[in-house]
Structures are given as C-alpha cells and as structure tokens.
Amino acid sequence: GENVEQHPSTLSVQEGDSAVIKCTYSDSASNYFPWYKQELGKRPQLIIDIRSNVGEKKDQRIAVTLNKTAKHFSLHITETQPEDSAVYFCAALNNAGNMLTFGGGTRLMVKP
Amino acid sequence: DVKVTQSSRYLVKRTGEKVFLECVQDMDHENMFWYRQDPGLGLRLIYFSYDVKMKEKGDIPEGYSVSREKKERFSLILESASTNQTSMYLCASSLRGSYGYTFGSGTRLTVV
C-alpha cells in the first residue's frame, strides 16, 4: 500500500519568513495530494491540493509543488504569520482513488 | 455549519469497558473513516466503510470494530478498552468519486 513520509516533524520560523514542508510517497499511481491544517483543538481542514497533471499550484501565500518523477511534493508558506502556527499534514490518494494515506504531520511554530 | 459530528468531545472510560464512539454526517457521503491521532504518529487509519453495512480494515484495526447500519452513521467500538487506546479519534467522510475529506472535531478518549 501507499506510504507517505513527511519532514520535518517540527519547524520553527520567525514571523515573515518562509516555511517549507516536504513529503515523499511510494505509490507511483497516486494522482492527488492534499494538505490539511489542524489548529490546536480543532479538526484538520483542507488548505490546498494538487493533482498529478499539474506541477505547481498557488493560493495567496500558500503554494504546493509536485515532482512525480521523484515522488515528492512540498508545501510552501511565504510571509508567515502567527496564525499559520498549526500542525500540517500531507496526504496521497491510493491507486483505487478512494482513500488517503497521511504523513506524520509537521508542527509549525511562527514566532512573532 | 457542522457537517461531521462526533458525539463526544471528551470521554473517560475504565479498562475493560465496551466503548462506542459515534460519528454522523449530513452530507450524504458514501465513504466514512475512523482515524486515530497520536503525537508523532500522525493519522492512522483504523477502519473505513464505502457503503452501508460494509467495512474494511485499515492499518491498525486490532482491538476495534465498526458498525454502519445507516449511511449517515459510522460507529467505532472498542470491545474491551485498554490504556493503550487512550488517544484522539477522528472521523472523516468523503463523497464517492471525490477526493476531499471532511473531518469531525474529534473525540479525546482517556482509558484509566
């Protein structure tokens, strides 16, 4: 089955700096890669996703890049703000197209 | 506009008790999932269901069972609770053919 690894497990940045979180996946048939943000005490919520026919996708300060050959994808947050502090999860869709496998999560701390 | 509801936010149970965690969604989703979230281990899939009365084991099904008698409700059952089942439990649902998950707010279970 699919295996997703996520790095780093914790990340501390200064407000205004950029943050990058990286994930690798094992199943070359995977074609959908979402990112979820979980604030303290709240449910995970989808913040951005990318499909395999696209190499990059942006939404304001957030971008995701995908390298299908290397089987890795990354989340980029620019001009970080304290409210970006949360746990971020990457995921990959299985080849049956019905189930997500999640990475281990990254705790991002943005220091004011 | 809560769409996936988990019946309890916090639960304390004794070792050996039978525990029911309930999840209800009002979006007519076919797919429902139970995850366990532990620090450093990310989201681990316990069981999932693609339709009423059907269930599939996830990565860590031992010590758990599930029930899906109605489309909107997916129950997680701990047959005999143990202290190593102390965790945050997250329910999620998705529409068949759609990739995005909607998560519930989670149930933090403590087994003493």
Side-chain angles (χ1 to χ4, degrees), chain A residues 2-4 38 44 89-91 99-105, chain B residues 32-48 56-62 64 66 74 76 83-92 101 103:
Chain A
E2 177 73 275
N3 182 47
V4 178
Q38 185 180 28
F89 292 99
C90 64
M99 188 173 69
L100 294 173
T101 298
F102 288 86
Chain B
M32 296 189 75
F33 308 85
W34 273 106
Y35 285 88
R36 173 176 170 161
Q37 183 176 17
D38 298 290
L41 296 176
L43 297 168
R44 293 182 292 167
L45 182 64
I46 305 171
Y47 267 97
F48 57 99
E56 295 283 347
K57 292 180 179 179
D59 298 320
I60 52 164
E62 296 79 19
Y64 304 94
V66 289
F74 191 36
L76 180 69
T83 54
N84 62 12
Q85 292 179 309
T86 291
S87 187
M88 169 69 84
Y89 291 87
L90 284 165
C91 174
Y101 280 17
F103 282 91

Side-chain angles (χ1 to χ4, degrees), chain B residues 17-56:
Chain B
E17 275 193 82
K18 190 169 186 176
V19 181
F20 293 85
L21 303 184
E22 304 289 346
C23 176
V24 177
Q25 50 92 7
D26 63 0
M27 298 169 287
D28 204 33
H29 284 176
E30 290 85 5
N31 306 327
M32 296 189 75
F33 308 85
W34 273 106
Y35 285 88
R36 173 176 170 161
Q37 183 176 17
D38 298 290
L41 296 176
L43 297 168
R44 293 182 292 167
L45 182 64
I46 305 171
Y47 267 97
F48 57 99
S49 170
Y50 296 139
D51 205 345
V52 176
K53 294 193 185 293
M54 71 84 46
K55 57 187 178 185
E56 295 283 347

Side-chain angles (χ1 to χ4, degrees), chain A residues 2 9 31-32 34 36 38 40-46 49 51 87 89 93-94 96-105 107, chain B residues 2-5 9 31 33 35 37-38 40-43 45 48 50 59 88 90 94 97-106:
Chain A
E2 177 73 275
S9 57
N31 60 7
Y32 173 71
Y36 287 81
Q38 185 180 28
L40 190 62
K42 296 190 176 180
R43 71 188 75 196
Q45 294 202 305
L46 179 70
D49 56 14
R51 297 180 192 274
V87 177
F89 292 99
L93 190 69
N94 68 347
N98 53 19
M99 188 173 69
L100 294 173
T101 298
F102 288 86
R107 181 173 298 279
Chain B
V2 174
K3 305 222 185 276
V4 179
T5 303
R9 193 81 171 94
N31 306 327
F33 308 85
Y35 285 88
Q37 183 176 17
D38 298 290
L41 296 176
L43 297 168
L45 182 64
F48 57 99
Y50 296 139
D59 298 320
M88 169 69 84
L90 284 165
S94 69
S98 168
Y99 303 150
Y101 280 17
T102 300
F103 282 91
S105 295

Side-chain angles (χ1 to χ4, degrees), chain A residues 14-49:
Chain A
Q14 208 66 39
E15 182 178 359
D17 287 350
S18 295
V20 180
I21 302 170
K22 299 181 179 181
C23 289
T24 60
Y25 61 98
S26 60
D27 187 350
S28 56
S30 292
N31 60 7
Y32 173 71
F33 308 92
W35 286 87
Y36 287 81
K37 175 184 180 182
Q38 185 180 28
E39 296 178 37
L40 190 62
K42 296 190 176 180
R43 71 188 75 196
Q45 294 202 305
L46 179 70
I47 55 171
I48 196 168
D49 56 14

Side-chain angles (χ1 to χ4, degrees), chain A residues 34-68:
Chain A
W35 286 87
Y36 287 81
K37 175 184 180 182
Q38 185 180 28
E39 296 178 37
L40 190 62
K42 296 190 176 180
R43 71 188 75 196
Q45 294 202 305
L46 179 70
I47 55 171
I48 196 168
D49 56 14
I50 191 167
R51 297 180 192 274
S52 60
N53 57 347
V54 174
E56 184 176 5
K57 184 177 178 180
K58 285 185 180 179
D59 183 3
Q60 300 181 349
R61 295 186 296 107
I62 293 173
V64 57
T65 59
L66 171 65
N67 183 326
K68 281 222 75 177

